[in-house]
Every structure is written in structure tokens, then in C-alpha cells.
Amino acid sequence: MSGRAQGGRVDGRGLLAAAGVLFPDGRGRVMVVRLPYDRKHPVAVPGGGWEPQDESLRETAVREVREELGFTPVLGPLACVDWAMREGRPPIVAYLYWAEPLTRAQVAALRPDAAEVGGWTWLTEADAGRALPPRLSRRVLACLRAPRTAGPLELEDSFPTGHTRALPEVGGPAPEYLGAAAAPGLGGGGAPAEPPPLDRETYYATRPRIRAKARALFTDEAGRVLLVRLRPWEGPRGEVPYWTLPGGGVEADRETPREAARREIAEELDWRVEPGRLLALDWQPLDTNGECPVLVYVYDGGRVTPELLDTVVLQEEELVDWRLCGPEEARALLTGPSWGRTAAALAAREGKGGPVELVRGREAR
């Protein structure tokens, strides 16, 4: 399944992707913009949806700011990843990035695209919480309140999950929603907003999709990595043995990546274990075969005992073997991006905080 819109239809694995940017001003405030085409929720942070020409969501964030505000931002680290599911809309994975504070010269040179941005201003944390729509408000407030060292935060529908749950500053209901009334500096007078060119249902149906996979990093007491081999199948590299970390595709219309990791581990290994920290987020761009991008979530499965390994029952329809591998053997069995992703997850496990952001198995730049 490609997860892409085909003839107006989208399979259950396809989801939308978007990226936004948090611009701090050095005084504890954050930039918000007014969307002239959105009458219901007119206040947002700069950013927008992934397009097929974007090699990563980091590129999406840069492109959207350039189009909306007329300058190229200097992005800092990923602030959060949010997996949002809502009735009447495809699931969406949203990244928020920190940006370097704008200089006076950059602020003076802002040239907003009037069709995209009807105004901009700086808001305090409290005012931003009331001006932004509830889901975006929770997402932004989580990033503003958490220590930078805790990021990237892991969220589901803007609520903390994974390691983010342990942060006392994050979570709780969104403040009372006031919309543009909480951001008088945005203006909003003049001619009424033009209605969007497409109705919401048509818009969502025509947006490009990505897919997501959820995998788990298990190691034994000697530090060897548990790999599984898929049953040979006619894939992009031909019918070849294919080694990987346990896990598989996320059924995006009905489960979160954490739920998918839990389900896949149970199906593939017959283990009932709870995924641990999210260690890595790896964006795999469009490939030469036209397959849609894949965002791979890698969770910490923990260190497994010989007793647990003795209980492995492989899913015969998909898997033919499993193996514990040291670094050199794992590198030889895995593809370049898959080994890079595994090595990055191993390194992230030794630290604290959220997942490392990767593109094709390499640290995102």
C-alpha cells in the first residue's frame, strides 16, 4: 500500500504531515500569525503542510516560512512531534521546530504574503495559549513550558506521552479559547476573508500522504541487537533476504505509532511488552520508485533476558528468522539507512530527553 491519494481514495495507512516554527523574541514571547482564509481559527504559528518536493519536514518548515513571511529562517532543534487523530480528518503528524530569535533587521524586512498571512505579532505564553486553537495551543504550550533539554517532546493529540509524561510542566487542559480576541496586535479589519478555493473534504482528499512505521530496539545483556528477517518478497531491491528491527506499518486511521509498536511486537514475536522511550524519528523521503515518504518511529524495547528470548514465536506469514547481532554484523545485514537509524537509537538510549531527528538514517541538518 502506498498511502497516497489515488483516484480520490486513500488507504488506511496514509496520513498528512506538517511542520511549524516557534520564533521566540528573547522576552519570553512567541510569534503568531493571522490566517486570512480561516474564519474559525484565524491564529496560528508559521508553517504548513508537507509537499512532495520537500526532502524532509525540516525543509517543509523552511519553505513555508519563506513563502509566508518572505525570509529564510535559521532553524534550531526539533521541539516536538505530535500525532493527531480526529474524526472527519485524516491523521496528521506535526513537527514543531525552534528557530533562532529574529534580529531587528530581519523583523524590519518581513514581507508577509497577504494571501497567506494577514498579520503577525508577538504573544506571551498566556496570550498565545488563549489565541491558538486548543490542539495547537496545547502543542505550543508544551514546548514553551518544558526544558529545552527534554525535547523533542512526544505528543499524541497534543497530550504528553512517552518520556513527556514525566515532565510536570507539560500537560493539562488548554486555556479558555479566545481566538483573535487574545491577539489584538494581529488586526483583522478590512475586507472579509476570501473563502478557501476547496471545501475541507476535497482539500484533505487531494493532499499528499506519507506513511509511518513503528519499530522497537531490543538488546540482550551483551548489547547485541535483535533483528528479524522478513520472508523474501518482490520488493524494490528484488527478492532478497531483508533484515530489520521488529515492527511494521502503522494503521494510521486507527492507531498511534505506540499502539502500532505494541501490536507489531505481539504479532511478530508473540511478546506482550510496552514500548519504552521514543529514541529516533527517521524520515525516508520519496524514492526513485515513486513510493511515498515513510516516517519511522524507533522505540526502546529494553534489554531482554535469555528466558524471554526462549519464548520467541515468529509470525510465519511474514518472518523466517531472528538473530542477535553485534554492531559489525548488524551493519552488514542492514541497509545503510536502517543501520544509521539503529546506531542513532542505540546512542540515544544512553542519553536523556526525546528522540533524535534523522533523515535517511542520518542526523537532520
Side-chain angles (χ1 to χ4, degrees), residues 19-43:
V21 182
L22 296 174
F23 287 102
D25 72 345
R27 295 168 54 188
R29 301 182 301 176
V30 66
M31 177 189 284
V32 299
V33 297
R34 180 167 59 83
L35 308 179
Y37 52 83
D38 195 331
R39 299 178 183 180
K40 185 176 181 181
H41 300 303
V43 185

Side-chain angles (χ1 to χ4, degrees), residues 111-342:
R111 297 292 182 270
D113 179 347
E116 297 282 339
V117 174
W120 62 273
T121 191
W122 305 99
L123 292 183
T124 64
E125 177 186 303
D127 285 339
R130 290 187 287 264
L132 298 169
R135 286 180 177 84
L136 181 57
S137 172
R138 290 196 303 265
R139 187 182 306 156
V140 169
L141 290 181
C143 296
L144 294 177
R145 291 170 176 171
R148 293 286 187 97
T149 54
L153 306 179
E154 183 189 357
L155 307 173
E156 290 178 357
D157 199 24
S158 301
F159 289 106
T161 190
H163 81 287
T164 311
R165 282 184 175 173
L167 302 174
E169 307 91 338
V170 180
E176 179 188 7
Y177 179 49
L178 300 179
L186 283 178
E194 290 289 328
L198 300 175
D199 64 81
R200 189 170 293 271
E201 184 176 341
T202 303
Y203 172 77
Y204 286 139
T206 56
R207 291 299 299 158
R209 300 299 206 268
I210 72 165
R211 286 172 51 194
K213 292 185 178 181
R215 301 202 176 276
L217 176 71
F218 294 102
T219 56
D220 70 357
E221 295 170 352
R224 295 177 299 175
V225 177
L226 175 64
L227 300 181
V228 295
R229 190 179 73 167
L230 300 183
R231 187 170 294 283
W233 59 289
E234 190 62 35
R237 292 174 293 157
E239 191 171 318
V240 295
Y242 187 92
W243 289 90
T244 184
L245 295 175
V250 180
E251 300 293 340
D253 61 346
R254 67 196 70 179
E255 64 184 358
T256 67
R258 276 190 172 274
E259 292 169 338
R262 190 183 305 119
R263 173 183 55 77
E264 287 284 344
I265 293 166
E267 291 176 355
E268 293 190 351
L269 303 175
D270 200 30
W271 289 352
R272 272 66 180 174
V273 299
E274 188 63 27
R277 278 173 52 210
L278 178 59
L279 299 175
L281 291 161
D282 191 11
W283 178 272
Q284 302 290 306
L286 285 164
D287 65 22
T288 55
N289 296 297
E291 291 295 320
C292 70
V294 177
L295 178 59
V296 184
Y297 286 66
V298 181
Y299 294 95
D300 190 355
R303 290 176 171 82
V304 295
T305 63
E307 292 76 18
L308 182 60
L309 290 168
D310 285 342
T311 67
V312 170
V313 178
L314 289 181
Q315 183 183 33
E316 293 184 357
E317 295 82 1
E318 295 186 13
L319 303 178
V320 294
D321 198 4
W322 67 272
R323 186 181 300 180
L324 288 166
C325 302
E328 292 306 315
E329 186 179 10
R331 184 197 291 267
L333 291 176
L334 298 172
T335 64
S338 185
W339 164 247
R341 180 164 62 240
T342 301

Side-chain angles (χ1 to χ4, degrees), residues 37-100:
Y37 52 83
D38 195 331
R39 299 178 183 180
K40 185 176 181 181
H41 300 303
V43 185
V45 296
W50 171 80
E51 297 290 350
Q53 70 265 25
D54 301 333
E55 283 292 295
S56 67
L57 284 179
R58 188 169 282 266
E59 283 198 10
T60 297
V62 171
R63 175 185 55 77
E64 284 287 337
V65 170
R66 188 184 298 126
E67 292 174 357
E68 291 180 355
L69 298 173
F71 76 99
T72 301
V74 178
L75 296 187
L78 180 64
C80 77
V81 57
D82 189 6
W83 182 281
M85 300 174 70
R86 188 173 73 193
E87 180 134 7
R89 188 201 67 187
I92 182 169
V93 60
Y95 277 25
L96 267 184
Y97 289 95
W98 288 109
E100 295 294 323

